[in-house]
Amino acid sequence: MALGFWQSTLGKKIVMGVTGLIMIGYLCAHLLGNMKIFFGPGEFNAYGHWLRVMGAPVLHHQWGLWIARLVLLTSVVLHAVSAYQLSRRDIKARPQKYVHTKPRMSYATRTMRWGGVILGLFIVWHILDLTTGTTHSGGFQEGHPYQNVVDTFSTWYGNVIYIVAMLAMGMHVRHGFWSAAQTLGAGNHTRDRALKAIANALAIVLTAGFISIPVGVMTGVVS
């Protein structure tokens, strides 16, 4: 039954909707935590420490963090695979009357497709930069997230990569929240306007909030 659900077009759309909402929830929580950087290194480093001990004493050191990571990773993979497979099905289902006729995609479809690719590449870079420190500039300091963030946004390329990715994230959230609401049956004639307003508000708040961090470093508000 589960396999049949996954193989169906509706099943993949539902998986995309649910995993998309999980990721939006994560982004909201992540932004709230990241805003602590404006209260100084003590607050932000304490937040970084809390992430590693959350759930204690029931959970062992970093277990809560790894559970969150696994849930998020599973959501990202299922979301990406569903999107790819639905895209392939859509292409195959299009009638090809003329050999040289190229299938036309809507602006929303193109935005979601390229936005997803940009975000996928950004996630890899972000992990290598601020989680493992593999590509980090200025000397990665374990247990000092405040200084690591300042180091990253003290480089022009760190700012460019992050801001472009956050703009793509905003467009992805705006269309994705609306699509998820429709797929999961939340949308109707009376609620559509409210859902669109929520989608726009989420996209604006998340985009502006995340971009405020590199801007804060560039302007010296965070240093």
Side-chain angles (χ1 to χ4, degrees):
M1 183 175 178
L3 181 60
F5 174 80
W6 167 251
Q7 291 177 337
S8 69
T9 297
L10 178 60
K12 292 185 185 299
K13 288 183 176 181
I14 291 175
V15 169
M16 274 197 72
V18 172
T19 54
L21 293 178
I22 290 173
M23 288 186 286
I24 289 175
Y26 164 79
L27 287 171
C28 292
H30 193 47
L31 177 60
L32 284 174
N34 281 1
M35 288 297 98
K36 286 183 173 290
I37 199 167
F38 291 103
F39 296 94
E43 286 273 349
F44 195 67
N45 289 339
Y47 165 64
H49 174 72
W50 174 80
L51 289 175
R52 286 162 174 74
V53 300
M54 63 179 175
V58 176
L59 298 178
H60 192 60
H61 184 67
Q62 292 198 24
W63 280 16
L65 180 60
W66 275 106
I67 290 172
R69 285 171 173 170
L70 288 173
V71 170
L72 183 61
L73 177 62
T74 301
S75 297
V76 170
V77 171
L78 289 176
H79 194 81
V81 171
S82 298
Y84 175 77
Q85 293 181 348
L86 285 171
S87 177
R88 299 304 301 171
R89 288 186 181 184
D90 183 52
I91 292 173
K92 290 180 180 179
R94 289 172 185 161
Q96 297 291 334
K97 294 182 179 180
Y98 304 99
V99 175
H100 298 294
T101 300
K102 294 183 179 179
R104 299 180 63 184
M105 293 186 294
S106 68
Y107 172 76
T109 301
R110 290 196 303 270
T111 299
M112 291 297 284
R113 181 171 296 179
W114 285 108
V117 172
I118 291 171
L119 289 174
L121 295 173
F122 168 75
I123 289 171
V124 174
W125 174 80
H126 198 51
I127 291 172
L128 293 175
D129 178 39
L130 292 175
T131 300
T132 67
T134 307
T135 61
H136 185 75
S137 62
F140 184 76
Q141 300 181 47
E142 184 69 36
H144 294 82
Y146 183 92
Q147 189 57 50
N148 293 333
V149 170
V150 171
D151 287 344
T152 290
F153 297 132
S154 295
T155 63
W156 68 267
Y157 59 85
N159 291 317
V160 170
I161 292 172
Y162 194 85
I163 291 173
V164 169
M166 292 306 98
L167 291 173
M169 178 273 298
M171 290 188 288
H172 209 76
V173 166
R174 180 178 179 273
H175 181 70
F177 180 86
W178 169 252
S179 297
Q182 301 305 308
T183 298
L184 299 176
N188 60 35
H189 181 69
T190 58
R191 290 196 291 263
D192 279 357
R193 181 174 295 180
L195 289 170
K196 287 181 179 179
I198 293 172
N200 289 332
L202 273 173
I204 292 171
V205 170
L206 288 172
T207 303
F210 281 116
I211 288 179
S212 71
I213 299 172
V215 170
V217 175
M218 284 188 286
T219 57
V221 175
V222 177
S223 61

